[in-house]
Amino acid sequence: MSLSRRDLAVAGVLALGTASLFDSVAAHAEGGDEAGVTQAVEALRKATLAQDKAKLEQLSAAELSYGHSGGVVQNKAEFIDGVMTRKSTVKSIEFPELKIGVAGNNAVARHLWLSESEMDGKPTSTKIGILAVWTKQDGGWKLLARQGYKLA
């Protein structure tokens, strides 16, 4: 059987098209994971603001290490207890400038933490940076580690 240039060209186009298809499927899968992490970050923001203990439990890995910008580090139980017993009235929390990178069953999320709260009649504004590590467990994204840091 002899192959013409036309046969080789068609085979080349098919090979490139197939490779392109696989790249597209992989990118779509990763994009789906990125969307899932984005949803988990937003769910954590809402649960923290609303003091939703059940949702905080669901979104936090058992091994959670939760670091604050002031240096305090908490485990899962301490983090949730801190949210549930906070002394200030939190009026708003925003997570702007969200950037997510997915690596297998893990993801890194970076964003700002902007909040407005009030304690003893005095308003407080907070603006810090956040680095959070998420892991896929039990079919969903769970917060594994979080570190807040002061901005320059």
Side-chain angles (χ1 to χ4, degrees):
M1 174 173 145
S2 66
L3 294 174
S4 69
R5 279 193 236 173
R6 183 181 202 185
D7 294 330
L8 290 172
V10 169
V13 167
L14 287 174
L16 287 174
T18 303
S20 225
L21 176 64
F22 285 128
D23 287 345
S24 175
V25 168
H28 179 68
E30 187 171 300
D33 281 345
E34 191 172 302
V37 176
T38 300
Q39 290 171 355
V41 169
E42 177 61 10
L44 180 68
R45 184 193 69 78
K46 287 179 178 177
T48 301
L49 182 60
Q51 294 176 293
D52 184 340
K53 185 175 183 177
K55 195 67 172 174
L56 292 169
E57 290 273 355
Q58 177 191 355
L59 290 166
S60 301
E63 310 84 0
L64 177 64
S65 175
Y66 192 94
H68 293 269
S69 63
V72 174
V73 179
Q74 299 172 314
N75 63 27
K76 179 178 179 174
E78 293 165 336
F79 157 64
I80 293 172
D81 184 58
V83 171
M84 301 309 297
T85 62
R86 65 183 174 221
K87 293 175 179 76
S88 63
T89 302
V90 179
K91 297 183 177 202
S92 68
I93 300 174
E94 297 177 37
F95 290 174
E97 299 182 28
L98 178 63
K99 294 178 183 86
I100 295 172
V102 177
N105 286 332
N106 300 299
V108 173
R110 287 184 170 274
H111 57 83
L112 296 178
W113 169 293
L114 302 177
S115 66
E116 298 292 328
S117 58
E118 186 177 299
M119 191 158 124
D120 299 327
K122 296 178 184 176
T124 303
S125 294
T126 303
K127 182 178 181 181
I128 59 173
I130 302 294
L131 170 67
V133 179
W134 293 79
T135 188
K136 195 178 263 188
Q137 293 179 354
D138 304 323
W141 288 99
K142 309 244 183 212
L143 182 63
L144 180 62
R146 180 257 200 200
Q147 184 61 57
Y149 57 92
K150 295 177 182 172
L151 299 170

